[in-house]
Amino acid sequence: ARVLAFQQRYGHIVGFEWFKDVKDGYVMVGFSLGYLVVISTHLDEIGREQFCAKFHNDNLRDIAYCPSRHKVATCGDRCIKIVDMQGWKVNAHIHQ
């Protein structure tokens, strides 16, 4: 068994999603301080961060992955953001 450790500056884990690209598997992890981190589950890269960005300034409450559109929704700071995973850019904001 492997134990994954994340940087304290991310906050605590609020959600995670498993996903796969053409060849490898990944875990996307959402953290309370607004960060979204992607780590590899491929044996040669297990636990290595593949991507990290802060999508919310104050807090992140949850994440949801849509495999058919290859997008992730993040919820925090009184809004929902839709992130295109091809370039990791926010392409929609839904504010309260």
Side-chain angles (χ1 to χ4, degrees):
R2 294 203 183 243
V3 175
L4 298 176
F6 296 97
Q7 297 180 40
Q8 286 185 322
R9 70 183 177 102
Y10 296 158
H12 62 273
I13 295 173
V14 295
F16 66 93
E17 296 278 349
W18 293 89
F19 70 98
K20 185 175 181 176
D21 71 1
V22 176
K23 63 181 178 82
D24 297 330
Y26 297 92
V27 178
M28 181 174 3
V29 185
F31 291 90
S32 61
L33 295 179
Y35 288 91
L36 184 69
V37 176
V38 174
I39 57 170
S40 176
T41 61
H42 193 264
L43 281 179
D44 330 9
E45 303 175 328
I46 198 152
R48 285 194 208 147
E49 284 187 16
Q50 305 296 307
F51 173 80
C52 175
K54 187 168 184 172
F55 287 107
H56 295 271
N57 293 327
D58 295 324
N59 65 62
L60 176 65
R61 300 281 186 196
D62 204 358
I63 62 173
Y65 170 57
C66 178
S68 63
R69 298 196 182 264
H70 206 61
K71 295 185 182 198
V72 62
T74 64
C75 173
D77 294 341
R78 300 172 55 97
C79 71
I80 296 170
K81 296 182 180 183
I82 308 299
V83 179
D84 185 338
M85 294 169 58
Q86 296 292 31
W88 294 103
K89 301 287 182 202
V90 174
N91 61 11
H93 287 86
I94 302 166
H95 294 277
Q96 181 182 15

